Amino acid sequence: MMEQTLSIIKPDAVAKGVIGKIVDRFESNGLRIAGMKKVQLSEQTAGEFYAVHKERPFYGELVSFMISGPVVIMVLEGENAVLKNRDLMGATNPKEALAGTIRADFAESIDANAVHGSDSLENAVNEIKFFFTEDEIC
Ligand code: CMP
């Protein structure tokens, strides 16, 4: 099924200069970049985006980390894009991520884990709407 999903290249990976390498993983695996922007998130925007984790003990650190530098936010489009993106990213904790995944290759820790990706089609729709207007997706 053709799907769209949201991907964020997090501040650690942007600071390392691996935006192009990560984008190549998507494009080389059948995911088209349908939307893309580089932004410095505000505390309010990052906090709202991750509101689902508000009660988790790592919420404060997660928000601080996500505003520690610019991020690259993308809409990825392709067959089974949600699952494909999650397979390409690897496990949330890079120590558990399979060899050859983005997190195994570029991430340092569960906080600085290089990328975010929507975890379901329903969340993908909401996350894309959160960051992109219709005319920014083409
Ligand atoms: P992400 O896919 O962006 O979604 C929430 C983020 O919280 C996650 O990646 C991790 O970077 C971060 N995080 C920190 N600690 C944990 C934890 N114990 N479990 C899940 N996510 C965590």
Side-chain angles (χ1 to χ4, degrees), residues 120-131:
S120 68
L121 194 51
E122 190 190 353
N123 283 342
V125 169
N126 292 332
E127 291 183 358
I128 289 168
K129 267 200 207 125
F130 184 85
F131 279 121

Side-chain angles (χ1 to χ4, degrees), residues 6 11 16 44-45 51-54 60 63 69 73 78 88 91 95 103 106 112 117 129 136:
L6 188 94
K16 260 191 210 168
Q44 187 184 338
T45 302
V52 63
H53 295 303
K54 210 166 185 149
V63 172
I73 313 179
L88 292 171
K95 290 186 182 79
R103 283 170 171 154
F106 302 115
K129 267 200 207 125
E136 291 174 324

Side-chain angles (χ1 to χ4, degrees), residues 5-10 35-51 66-67 70-75 116-118 123-137:
T5 190
L6 188 94
S7 170
I8 303 179
I9 303 179
K10 295 189 180 186
M36 186 179 217
K37 54 174 109 179
K38 185 179 182 207
V39 292
Q40 170 64 56
L41 294 176
S42 67
E43 188 171 358
Q44 187 184 338
T45 302
E48 253 180 68
F49 179 72
Y50 279 118
M66 291 302 288
I67 64 172
V71 296
V72 174
I73 313 179
M74 287 167 288
V75 177
H116 164 83
S118 309
N123 283 342
V125 169
N126 292 332
E127 291 183 358
I128 289 168
K129 267 200 207 125
F130 184 85
F131 279 121
F132 287 88
T133 57
E134 258 179 46
D135 62 319
E136 291 174 324
I137 302 171

